[in-house]
Amino acid sequence: MPESTVSGRGPGAARMLVGRVGGVAGSLVAGQVLLGLTYVVAARAITPEALGIVATCFAISVVSATVFDLGLMSYLVRESAGGRLDVAAARAVHRSKRRVLLPLALVSTGAGVMIAPDLATGLVLGAVAPLVWEAQSANALLRAQERFAQAATAQLLGRLGGLVVVVVLLLVGVTELALPIGLASSFAIEAVVDRLFLGRPPAGRAPWSELARAQWWSVSFGLAALASIGQQLDTPFVALGGGPAAAGIYAGAGRLLGPLLFLSSALALVGLPWLARAGDNETDLRVEERRIGRVTAGICLAPLVAALVGPPLIPLILGAQYEASGGTFAVLAIGAAVSTVNQGLALVLQNRGHQGVVARAVAIGLALGLVSTYGLAVVGGPVWAAAGFVVSQLWIVVHLGVRAHVVRRHPPTRDPAGKARR
C-alpha cells in the first residue's frame, strides 16, 4: 500500500512520528525519573509504612482529578487537532470547567485528612488533586496546538522543582511533610509554567450549555481515562490487603516503574492528534495505524529489559528495607509491556470513534486487576499483588485486539462530534 500523503505526509512521516514520540517520551521519562528520584530521596528518610500512606493519598488525589475532568481535555485535544474546534473556543470551555473546581478540592482534602496520620499532611495531600487537574489541563491545551516541547518543558520544571523542595525540606529536618509538599509543589510549578506558555486566555468563558455539550461527548474519553488512571488505586488495595508496609514496598517499585509506563503515555499524547489529522480516508488511516503499531512494538522492549535488570538494582536504590520491591518491580514491568500494546490498540479504536469500547475494556480489566491485587496481597504480599496488574492488562489486550480487528474490517462512519455509527 502506498505511503500516505495526507496533510503533506510522505516517506518521512514515519521518521516524523518516531521523532515526535521519542521527543515526548524522552521528556516524560525524564519527568518520571525526577519524580522517581523524589520518592527515592524521601523513601530513604522515612519508613515503608509512611511512604505507603503518602502514596495511597496521592493515588486517590490523581484519580479524583480524573473523575472531575471526565475526559473533557482529551476530547478538546482531539477536536482541536482535527480542526473541528478552535483553540480559543477550547480554552473558553476549559475556563468554564474551572468554575466548579471547589468540589474536587473538598473531596480530595477530606480523603487526605481521613487517611493521613496528621492534619497538616492531610491538607497538603488534599491540595494535590486540584493542582494535578490544573497542570494536566493546561498541558493538554498546549498539546492541542502541537506545542509538545513547551508542554514537556513545563512538566520537567515542575518535577525538578518538586525534587528540590523535598531535598531542601529534608536538609532542614522537615521529614514527614517533605514528600507531600514536594508532590504538591511539582504540579503547582507545572501549572504556572503551562499558563505562561499559553499566554492570556480569551475573554469570557463558554456558556454552561457549551460546557455541558462538550462534557457529554467527552464521557467515553473520561471513562477510558478513569479506567486507565484508576490503576493507581492498586496501592490503596495493597494497603487494604497487606497493610501500609506492603503498600510502601509496592509503591517504591511502582514509582520506579513510572518512566516505563510513560513511554506508552508519550505514544498516546502524540498518537491521538496524529491519527486525528489523518482524516477518515481508510487507506491513509491504515498507513498511519501501522506506523503507530511499529512504534508500539519498539516501546515494548524497554519494560521487558527492565524486568530482567530491575530486581538486583531496586534494593540498592531504595535501601535494604525495600528488598521485596525488586521482585515486585519485575512483575509490574511485564504488565507494563502488555499495557504498552493496549495503548496502541486504544489509539486506533478511539480515533475511529470507538472510545466507548476502550472505556468498557479498560474498566473491566481494572476491576479484575484491583480485585486480584487485593486478594494476592492478602495471600503473598506486594510481590504477588503485582500480578494483579498483569491480569488486568492481559484482559484488556485481548478485548481491544479482537475489537480492533473487527472495526478495521468493517470501518464505521462518523457523525460531526466524532462518535462512531454504522
Side-chain angles (χ1 to χ4, degrees):
M1 186 176 294
E3 288 285 332
S4 170
T5 57
V6 68
S7 301
R9 294 176 185 180
R15 291 191 295 273
M16 184 186 300
L17 174 60
V18 172
R20 286 189 178 183
V21 174
V24 174
S27 61
L28 289 176
V29 169
Q32 284 300 298
V33 168
L34 290 172
L35 183 60
L37 285 174
T38 302
Y39 271 90
V40 167
V41 171
R44 298 185 72 90
I46 60 179
T47 64
E49 289 85 351
L51 180 63
I53 290 173
V54 173
T56 297
C57 292
F58 179 73
I60 292 173
S61 290
V62 173
V63 173
S64 299
T66 305
V67 173
F68 173 77
D69 185 72
L70 202 57
L72 178 64
M73 300 315 300
S74 294
Y75 171 77
L76 294 179
V77 167
R78 189 189 72 174
E79 296 303 289
S80 298
R84 295 179 289 271
L85 183 68
D86 182 77
V87 173
R91 295 192 65 180
V93 172
H94 168 257
R95 292 191 70 199
S96 292
K97 180 74 172 184
R98 190 190 291 164
R99 286 186 288 181
V100 292
L101 194 60
L102 181 60
L104 172 62
L106 293 176
V107 169
S108 61
T109 300
V113 169
M114 287 190 295
I115 297 173
D118 57 80
L119 179 62
T121 301
L123 291 175
V124 173
L125 289 171
V128 170
L131 291 173
V132 166
W133 184 80
E134 282 288 349
Q136 292 182 345
S137 60
N139 204 275
L141 290 171
L142 287 172
R143 289 188 285 106
Q145 304 171 56
E146 297 196 5
R147 296 161 66 180
F148 296 113
Q150 292 180 332
T153 299
Q155 187 180 83
L156 286 175
L157 290 175
R159 301 301 175 266
L160 179 60
L163 174 59
V164 170
V165 168
V166 169
V167 171
V168 170
L169 290 177
L170 289 176
L171 288 176
V172 299
V174 185
T175 304
E176 298 300 324
L177 277 174
L179 183 56
I181 294 177
L183 292 173
S185 300
S186 176
F187 290 99
I189 294 170
E190 180 184 353
V192 169
V193 176
D194 279 330
R195 299 296 171 192
L196 293 176
F197 283 144
L198 284 169
R200 293 179 60 86
R205 303 179 178 89
W208 288 111
S209 59
E210 189 172 341
L211 171 61
R213 185 188 69 82
Q215 195 73 81
W216 170 261
W217 288 113
S218 75
V219 169
S220 293
F221 278 101
L223 293 176
L226 176 61
S228 179
I229 202 70
Q231 182 60 45
Q232 294 202 27
L233 289 174
D234 56 359
T235 301
F237 271 71
V238 175
L240 288 173
I249 292 171
Y250 187 93
R255 294 309 166 190
L256 293 176
L257 187 73
L260 300 176
L261 292 174
F262 267 74
L263 287 170
S264 61
S265 296
L267 176 65
L269 297 180
V270 174
L272 189 56
W274 178 276
L275 289 177
R277 288 184 180 275
D280 294 327
N281 181 281
E282 188 64 22
T283 299
D284 291 329
L285 190 54
R286 285 175 181 267
V287 171
E288 305 307 334
E289 288 174 348
R290 285 198 296 272
R291 290 191 178 116
I292 293 290
R294 290 193 292 269
V295 174
T296 300
I299 292 175
C300 284
L301 296 176
L304 293 177
V305 172
L308 296 175
V309 302
L313 293 180
I314 302 302
L316 297 178
I317 296 173
L318 295 176
Q321 59 183 340
Y322 291 90
E323 183 176 358
S325 291
T328 305
F329 178 87
V331 179
L332 289 174
I334 294 172
V338 184
S339 175
T340 302
V341 178
N342 292 335
Q343 187 64 76
L345 293 171
L347 284 174
V348 170
L349 289 168
Q350 287 176 330
N351 182 64
R352 287 176 175 267
H354 287 264
Q355 55 264 26
V357 173
V358 177
R360 289 190 295 272
V362 179
I364 294 172
L366 173 65
L368 289 174
L370 291 179
V371 171
S372 299
T373 296
Y374 169 77
L376 292 170
V378 173
V379 175
V383 179
W384 282 43
F389 179 50
V390 180
V391 169
S392 68
Q393 299 309 307
L394 288 175
W395 163 265
I396 295 168
V397 76
V398 172
H399 193 136
L400 295 186
V402 171
R403 187 60 179 174
H405 177 71
V406 172
V407 166
R408 296 183 81 225
R409 289 187 61 185
H410 306 284
T413 57
R414 298 180 183 220
D415 63 20
K419 187 175 178 63
R421 64 183 181 184
R422 294 284 177 189

